[in-house]
Amino acid sequence: MIFKSHLISMLVFSGIVSTIIAFIRHDDKAMIRKEGIKLFLYMSIGIIAGSWIINFL
Amino acid sequence: MRPYLIFLLSWLIPGSGHYIHKKYTKALVFFSGILLLVILGIIMEGKFFLPYTETSNNYGVVQKQFHPLLILGFLGDLGLGLFNVIVNLLGFAKGNIESVTYHYGTTYLVSAGLLNYLVALNAFDIARKGGEK
């Protein structure tokens, strides 16, 4: 069994998904990099913020 | 006709539609990314959705009950094309609900299928635009 840490599971997932979506949406390398980083940050920050809020429920 | 064929091919083998259009980097990224999601999903003991649940009544007769949410999950997994068939034939992705990573694994698998739909649609779009020129 791998990824016992939920955070790492989600970060790896975010990394792969944001890379694929960035490649789907753009052809230019600079735009792919920019979109990939942006999506990854959105997902990562969303995950951490969501988890933090759930912690109080 | 050709764009539909490319869509079908790209659905069966992730990235193949882009490979035909000589977008080799994209093809490699899509194929390896989706394959990686599937492998991680299997290692994390996730499962492929079935469109029904099986329940047994008082007489021990097993009944299949279809559920809309399970059907959606099943359609998501179906997006993997040949990967879905191969994984099922090998007997993987049966799921282990006692595993800590079960839900993550299942999410990895269904997400891989959904992403492949997007990749196939992108390949279809490229083929259609190419045909118009």
Side-chain angles (χ1 to χ4, degrees), chain B residues 72-119:
Chain B
L72 287 176
F74 175 73
L75 290 175
D77 285 333
L78 214 59
L80 283 172
L82 277 181
F83 282 175
N84 189 318
V85 177
I86 292 166
V87 169
N88 273 319
L89 283 176
L90 292 173
F92 295 132
K94 296 292 178 197
N96 174 17
I97 201 157
E98 290 178 355
S99 169
V100 179
T101 53
Y102 166 76
H103 290 292
Y104 288 100
T106 305
T107 306
Y108 269 61
L109 289 170
V110 77
S111 302
L114 293 173
L115 279 172
N116 194 34
Y117 280 130
L118 290 179
V119 169

Side-chain angles (χ1 to χ4, degrees), chain A residues 36-55:
Chain A
I37 292 169
K38 192 175 81 177
L39 283 172
F40 180 71
L41 286 177
Y42 281 166
M43 283 195 240
S44 307
I45 293 167
I47 287 161
I48 293 165
S51 311
W52 183 69
I53 291 165
I54 287 168
N55 188 41

Side-chain angles (χ1 to χ4, degrees), chain A residues 17-18 22 25 34 44 48:
Chain A
V17 171
S18 53
R25 291 189 67 182
K34 192 177 168 187
S44 307
I48 293 165

Side-chain angles (χ1 to χ4, degrees), chain B residues 27-90:
Chain B
L28 183 69
V29 168
F30 296 146
F31 184 82
S32 54
I34 289 168
L35 184 64
L36 188 62
L37 280 175
V38 172
I39 290 169
L40 288 173
I42 291 168
I43 293 172
M44 291 161 88
E45 300 182 271
K47 73 159 189 172
F48 279 145
F49 281 94
L50 291 171
Y52 52 80
T53 53
E54 287 183 338
T55 50
S56 58
N57 62 15
N58 294 336
Y59 304 104
V61 178
V62 176
Q63 292 177 317
K64 289 178 181 175
Q65 195 170 13
F66 285 85
H67 192 284
L69 291 179
L70 292 177
I71 292 171
L72 287 176
F74 175 73
L75 290 175
D77 285 333
L78 214 59
L80 283 172
L82 277 181
F83 282 175
N84 189 318
V85 177
I86 292 166
V87 169
N88 273 319
L89 283 176
L90 292 173

